[in-house]
Amino acid sequence: MAALEAEAYKVPTERPEADGTQTWASTTAVVVTVTGDGGTGLGWTYAPAAAADVVRDLLAPAVTGTDPMDVPGAYRAMRRAARNALVPGLVTAAISAVDVALWDLKAILLGTPLAALLGRVRPAVPLYGSGGFTTYDDETLYRQLNGWVFDDGIPRVKIKIGESWGHAADRDLARMRIARETVGTNAELYVDANGGYTAKQAIRVLRAAEDLDVRWFEEPVSSDDLAGLAQVRAEVTADVAAGEYGTDPVYFRRMCAAGAVDCLQVDLTRSGGYTGFMYAAAVADAYNLQVSTHTAPQLHAPVAAAIPNARHIEWFADHVRLERMLFDGLADPAGGDLAPQYERPGHGLTLRREDAAPYRTG
């Protein structure tokens, strides 16, 4: 490996966005470029701009000089170099971006699409539309859901609930009803509380919505509360999902062993890139569980298509917008599935630097 560079781009949202426990007005992508043997690989993560400093100061020395073919070796070298920086969190996000870039570079040097290098299990992966932020008024919520189901043909949609740390359950239920009325029987309805409820409150809310046929209940309680997740899972008919904050196989093993989820969420921009995602999927498979990708839909397409126990990809509105603004080579969600590209070597995604330049922040 000859060189490794990192840049941060902070993009304002169209309007304020919020879930059950947090609000935000911008999204930051930390983009990594790695060069070696005449090729260039690209990766990114969604994390604070400080992740770019981690890449430059901590990870670049560990990766520079390694063989571009030996991505698992570079991954191990990064994790070892980062030990005293406390790997979970920001550091793993930085490792994730570098790992994605390394896999992209390897596929480019081999002249093959990344999906072919990883090996496809299926030609495309089902999607679910994800957004429905608690800051949306009823009309905005209607337009978003209607667009996914009736314009794009995506037969699964998810909205945020647990508003104000569970202190607006009546509005949660009203918005869930609007969502079901909007999509009718044409789509599965998913909800995400982002850890905003207590366990018994989460059970009460979903029982009150029993006639809405909710199929997916994401983070009904904090992901740190494995006993609470298991309690909710035992009492509701919807599949309980969590895992988006996982950064290593041990985290995922604990969640699976606790019986906390019906489907394990894995985010390659947080869990160690493609290498970390494949480790996590193997852990889930050992517990007879499926995995679902969390955010960053375009990056997940190649690896989700290669994982036998992948259920679906999250078509997250915030990241969909940013990726369309800044990147080329995007896969089309029409019809409700996302297929990795097979026309170009690597993952096929490139940064439009002129378009990204105004948002450069680090």
Side-chain angles (χ1 to χ4, degrees):
M1 222 72 62
L4 196 155
E5 299 176 355
E7 304 160 321
Y9 300 92
K10 186 175 182 180
V11 179
T13 56
E14 287 186 302
R15 56 175 63 84
E17 296 175 352
D19 55 34
T21 58
Q22 194 171 59
T23 61
W24 62 94
S26 64
T27 300
T28 301
V30 174
V31 179
V32 169
T33 304
V34 60
T35 57
D37 290 355
T40 300
L42 180 75
W44 71 87
T45 183
Y46 291 102
D53 293 326
V54 174
V55 172
R56 299 185 197 107
D57 300 339
L58 188 62
L59 304 182
V63 170
T64 302
T66 62
D67 188 333
M69 295 297 107
D70 297 335
V71 180
Y75 178 84
R76 178 65 61 87
M78 288 191 289
R79 292 193 71 92
R80 286 176 172 172
R83 185 195 68 182
N84 288 342
L86 304 180
V87 174
L90 183 73
V91 174
T92 307
I95 291 173
S96 300
V98 177
D99 183 84
V100 169
L102 293 174
W103 277 105
D104 186 39
L105 174 62
K106 180 175 180 176
I108 288 170
L109 294 177
L110 293 172
T112 186
L114 180 58
L117 178 62
L118 296 176
R120 286 191 308 176
V121 174
R122 58 181 67 79
V125 185
L127 292 172
Y128 72 88
S130 172
F133 303 114
T134 58
T135 44
Y136 283 1
D137 59 27
D138 293 351
E139 177 59 27
T140 302
L141 179 62
Y142 168 83
R143 288 199 307 270
Q144 187 178 69
L145 299 177
N146 189 75
W148 284 329
V149 176
F150 299 104
D151 295 338
D152 296 332
I154 299 174
R156 305 160 205 88
V157 297
K158 185 178 82 180
I159 69 168
K160 300 291 191 181
I161 60 172
E163 183 176 351
S164 301
W165 289 91
H167 292 294
D170 287 345
R171 184 167 188 258
D172 291 339
L173 288 165
R175 295 177 68 253
M176 292 162 67
R177 194 161 299 280
I178 290 170
R180 174 52 75 196
E181 290 171 354
T182 299
V183 303
T185 58
N186 296 283
E188 296 180 5
L189 178 60
Y190 298 173
V191 296
D192 181 2
N194 287 99
Y197 294 137
T198 64
K200 287 192 174 181
Q201 183 184 23
I203 294 166
R204 289 194 298 270
V205 167
L206 214 61
R207 285 179 176 172
E210 190 172 356
D211 62 315
L212 303 180
D213 190 24
V214 174
R215 300 292 182 88
W216 171 276
F217 199 1
E218 184 174 327
E219 260 199 312
V221 300
S222 169
S223 287
D224 294 329
D225 183 5
L226 298 181
L229 287 169
Q231 181 182 356
V232 176
R233 184 186 178 209
E235 296 291 338
V236 302
T237 58
D239 282 355
V240 169
E244 65 190 66
Y245 305 112
T247 59
D248 58 67
V250 174
Y251 178 104
F252 295 112
R253 178 180 60 81
R254 287 172 179 159
M255 184 166 279
C256 294
V261 295
D262 295 287
C263 186
L264 187 69
Q265 290 180 285
V266 186
D267 186 334
L268 69 79
T269 73
R270 298 173 175 175
S271 63
Y274 292 125
T275 302
F277 188 98
M278 290 185 283
Y279 287 157
V283 170
D285 199 38
Y287 287 89
N288 296 309
L289 293 176
Q290 292 180 311
V291 298
S292 177
T293 76
H294 177 261
T295 71
Q298 297 292 340
L299 287 180
H300 278 103
V303 71
I307 297 299
N309 57 327
R311 181 184 294 195
H312 42 40
I313 289 172
E314 181 179 21
W315 190 247
F316 181 52
D318 195 14
H319 293 177
V320 167
R321 174 176 174 266
L322 184 148
E323 289 166 1
R324 285 173 171 167
M325 290 174 63
L326 303 187
F327 296 93
D328 281 332
L330 306 182
D332 186 351
D337 295 325
L338 201 66
Q341 69 82 26
Y342 256 77
E343 304 302 319
R344 298 172 300 282
H347 52 48
L349 301 162
T350 57
L351 178 68
R352 297 198 305 273
R353 293 193 176 275
E354 285 191 11
D355 293 341
Y359 304 105
R360 177 78 182 268
T361 187

